[in-house]
Amino acid sequence: MPENTLYEYAVVRLVPRVEREEFINVGIALYCRKYRFANVLFEIDEARVRSLCPDIDMDMIRSHLESFVKICNGAQDGGKLASLDQTERFRWLTANRSTVIQCSAVHPGLCVDPAETLKLLFDKLVL
């Protein structure tokens, strides 16, 4: 019987105008040490984003989020940050920052399947 194991996740937020502190949840970053699992899912609701900032550069936002995924997954084309170990990559991605892409506080949970849990959190908190 599979047993529950600890995972950590953060909500990835798009903050189109940092000075206004308004945000839209666009993704989930999840890390599970036991299963050596780390991944980010994201989806941008362009209409919602444009309601907060009509002139935002959506290509730039997509590029930043795609870099987030590459770093999290340790992709070879993800730059120096992607070469860090999995724990360090997750901690770097979820660190506090004042930029257009930010993460919520990191939250713990228990799961049997981190990939399934990532999808469930994504459906609940982003879609």
Side-chain angles (χ1 to χ4, degrees):
M1 179 170 167
E3 69 179 62
N4 280 328
T5 190
L6 181 67
Y7 71 90
E8 300 173 70
Y9 78 94
V11 179
V12 180
R13 297 172 171 165
L14 173 59
V15 187
R17 295 170 59 190
V18 176
E19 69 278 7
R20 291 183 62 160
E21 297 184 8
E22 299 170 326
F23 64 84
I24 298 169
N25 293 346
V26 294
I28 299 290
L30 189 139
Y31 168 63
C32 180
R33 182 176 176 193
K34 180 178 179 179
Y35 289 108
R36 296 183 183 163
F37 178 91
N39 202 1
V40 175
L41 293 179
F42 75 87
E43 184 172 310
I44 304 168
D45 182 338
E46 191 169 338
R48 287 185 71 205
V49 173
R50 293 215 183 272
S51 73
L52 294 179
C53 188
D55 59 346
I56 195 164
D57 183 345
M58 293 303 294
D59 291 333
M60 178 195 68
I61 298 303
R62 281 188 191 86
S63 176
H64 286 325
L65 289 168
E66 288 165 2
S67 292
F68 234 66
V69 174
K70 287 179 182 181
I71 292 167
C72 188
N73 292 329
Q76 287 188 348
D77 62 344
K80 285 189 171 194
L81 292 170
S83 67
L84 298 172
D85 75 41
Q86 198 173 52
T87 303
E88 291 173 315
R89 291 191 313 262
F90 183 78
R91 297 286 177 251
W92 186 88
L93 289 171
T94 58
N96 287 339
R97 56 181 51 91
S98 180
T99 61
V100 174
I101 305 295
Q102 300 179 18
C103 284
S104 70
V106 175
H107 306 284
L110 295 173
C111 71
V112 173
D113 180 345
E116 181 181 318
T117 301
L118 174 61
K119 178 70 173 123
L120 290 170
L121 288 168
F122 183 76
D123 290 348
K124 181 179 180 179
L125 300 174
V126 177
L127 296 182

